[in-house]
Amino acid sequence: MTTPFVFESRAQRVIFGTGALARIAEELDALGMRRALILCTPPQREQAERLAAQLGERAAGVFAGAVMHVPMEVAREARAVALRLDADCAVALGGGSTIGLGKAIALDSGLPILAVPTTYAGSEMTPIYGVTHNGLKHTGKDTRVMPRTVIYDPDLTIGLPVGLSVVSGINALAHAAEGLYAIDGNPVMRLLAEEGIAALGRALPAIHADPADGQARADALYGAWLCGQVLGGVGMALHHKLCHTLGGSFNLPHAETHTVVLPHALAYNAGAAPDAMQRIARALGADDAPRAVHELARDNGAPVALKDIGMREQDLDRACALAMENQYPNPRPLEAQALRQLLQDAFDGRPPRA
Ligand code: NAD
């Protein structure tokens, strides 16, 4: 049944394919940009230096200071470096942390961004930004922060460690899963979501078996692109709220937290979102969506318990109370007792409830 919806598309150019990074110079030319500041994290400096060498005169320099949660001081420092080097754009080479830094610079200065994602987090496809100041992460939405061009080159993800690949892939899958029951969902996003989940469901076991499997790497990055569009296109619900709470207030690692929580958040919502569950299960070739996601994590070496990724049991009550505040729209109303049980199950690493 087709129900009423609103669909908004955003102008972005996407270049996808093995070896696509070779086209970066012509893509900068197409944007009218002449001097790019390349952003990366400290561990990816070498990769960024290689890119700078490839760009020659089109590279203004490398800023290798991107870190998790985009501290305001780092964004200001990167902006000052861009000014000093007379850069007219930024190339964000990396995962959500590096692309987040690019977004913070764009928000402040309007400097255009070309993103080259090397994880599956999906930030490059969203107008969502976050900057941390005095220990608090401020998030918002602004189309100015969206990268103008995105180059997806699966070759760049070959070096992403297997463990990180699996949790990052499930992080992407979470965007699509919640997009399927989003309050402002639409048929285009549902198509992207189902296809994205299917691509990741195929790719992650293959990457786990062989991290250098080029086809699997391409499938995973393709899935991440689709899931990123869903994240940028519709509102998220309980699962993302829980992960923001656990990451922000208890400093748990981003993708790992998504991986542990997702089966339980889906189980919580299953009765209220049967169509979404059917689509997720179909995409994963399974009967039961929450269980299939749990098994995808467990069977591919990912963590399934909050206790194994740094959560303390004595903080579960506070996490539950925080999750009940400023609720995101969710198909099933939030009930404190059921939510506390969800957190306990996730803490212990139990399979999701039927
Ligand atoms: P990340 O960017 O922090 O990267 C994790 C680590 O992996 C880093 O040390 C990085 O250097 C390394 N790495 C990345 N790619 C690599 C590669 N190909 N090979 C080897 N090492 C590599 O992690 P993430 O999960 O991509 O991003 C998480 C952050 O992004 C969180 O802060 C999250 O809030 C944010 N995020 C924002 C949005 C949004 O729409 N604004 C969406 C998703 C995630």
Side-chain angles (χ1 to χ4, degrees), residues 238 268 316-317 320-321 323-324 327 332-345 350 353:
L238 171 67
Y268 184 93
L316 291 177
D317 285 340
C320 183
M324 292 295 293
Q327 298 179 9
R332 175 178 164 195
L334 298 199
E335 299 152 25
Q337 211 181 343
L339 210 55
R340 180 64 181 78
Q341 187 61 60
L342 181 168
L343 285 166
Q344 190 68 48
D345 290 347
R350 290 204 199 106
R353 280 168 194 262

Side-chain angles (χ1 to χ4, degrees), residues 156-239:
L156 301 176
T157 61
I158 299 273
L160 188 65
V162 177
L164 197 49
S165 301
V166 174
V167 293
S168 189
I170 296 176
N171 178 197
L173 199 154
H175 309 327
E178 288 226 298
L180 285 168
Y181 52 61
I183 192 168
D184 55 352
N186 66 64
V188 176
M189 290 299 143
R190 286 191 282 274
L191 288 172
L192 300 184
E194 201 172 329
E195 173 76 357
I197 294 170
L200 286 158
R202 275 196 307 277
L204 299 183
I207 291 172
H208 183 241
D210 175 11
D213 180 336
Q215 188 53 55
R217 289 293 186 180
D219 279 347
L221 202 55
Y222 166 65
W225 169 53
L226 298 174
C227 295
Q229 287 188 76
V230 178
L231 176 67
V234 296
M236 296 289 112
L238 171 67
H239 168 75

Side-chain angles (χ1 to χ4, degrees), residues 2-340:
T2 306
T3 48
F5 61 86
V6 173
F7 171 73
E8 196 177 321
S9 70
R10 299 196 182 90
Q12 243 186 343
R13 182 171 159 84
V14 170
I15 323 296
F16 188 101
T18 300
L21 189 64
R23 291 170 59 180
I24 190 167
E26 63 192 86
E27 290 304 324
L28 287 173
D29 289 350
L31 288 170
M33 303 302 159
R34 276 188 277 281
R35 279 176 66 77
L37 177 65
I38 301 168
L39 310 173
C40 65
T41 56
Q44 287 184 281
R45 179 189 276 277
E46 216 182 293
Q47 212 174 8
E49 298 284 1
R50 275 201 303 276
L51 180 57
Q54 178 187 333
L55 284 174
E57 282 182 357
R58 291 186 183 86
V62 169
F63 179 86
V67 288
M68 198 80 133
H69 302 313
V70 195
M72 175 87 89
E73 317 78 73
V74 175
R76 286 197 177 132
E77 191 191 340
R79 172 72 186 126
V81 172
L83 269 178
R84 182 162 49 78
L85 296 176
D86 198 23
D88 59 5
C89 67
V91 169
L93 172 73
S97 298
T98 303
I99 293 167
L101 174 61
K103 287 174 159 183
I105 300 173
L107 184 70
D108 183 38
S109 66
L111 208 68
I113 307 297
L114 184 154
V116 185
T118 63
T119 70
Y120 308 129
S123 176
E124 64 284 353
M125 284 293 130
T126 84
I128 306 161
Y129 63 86
V131 181
T132 304
H133 190 43
N134 291 335
L136 279 179
K137 191 164 182 178
H138 302 273
T139 56
K141 257 186 174 187
D142 194 317
T143 47
R144 281 179 307 170
V145 307
M146 288 196 68
R148 306 263 182 101
T149 300
V150 181
I151 298 181
Y152 285 107
D153 184 342
D155 273 353
L156 301 176
T157 61
I158 299 273
L160 188 65
V162 177
L164 197 49
S165 301
V166 174
V167 293
S168 189
I170 296 176
N171 178 197
L173 199 154
H175 309 327
E178 288 226 298
L180 285 168
Y181 52 61
I183 192 168
D184 55 352
N186 66 64
V188 176
M189 290 299 143
R190 286 191 282 274
L191 288 172
L192 300 184
E194 201 172 329
E195 173 76 357
I197 294 170
L200 286 158
R202 275 196 307 277
L204 299 183
I207 291 172
H208 183 241
D210 175 11
D213 180 336
Q215 188 53 55
R217 289 293 186 180
D219 279 347
L221 202 55
Y222 166 65
W225 169 53
L226 298 174
C227 295
Q229 287 188 76
V230 178
L231 176 67
V234 296
M236 296 289 112
L238 171 67
H239 168 75
H240 279 73
K241 170 69 185 181
L242 281 171
C243 293
H244 292 165
T245 303
L246 293 168
S249 303
F250 304 97
N251 209 21
L252 299 196
H254 178 80
E256 288 82 349
T257 306
H258 273 270
T259 300
V260 173
V261 171
L262 186 61
H264 303 283
L266 293 181
Y268 184 93
N269 281 331
D275 180 63
M277 296 305 137
Q278 207 183 354
R279 285 171 182 266
I280 298 165
R282 185 166 63 201
L284 293 175
D287 300 327
D288 181 76
R291 206 174 55 231
V293 174
H294 175 79
E295 287 167 3
L296 184 66
R298 187 199 63 194
D299 296 350
N300 292 291
V304 293
L306 291 177
K307 67 176 169 13
D308 294 337
I309 60 167
M311 187 71 188
R312 300 184 317 167
E313 192 160 19
Q314 63 263 40
D315 287 333
L316 291 177
D317 285 340
R318 194 157 73 87
C320 183
L322 287 170
M324 292 295 293
E325 288 174 10
N326 305 318
Q327 298 179 9
Y328 298 3
N330 191 59
R332 175 178 164 195
L334 298 199
E335 299 152 25
Q337 211 181 343
L339 210 55
R340 180 64 181 78

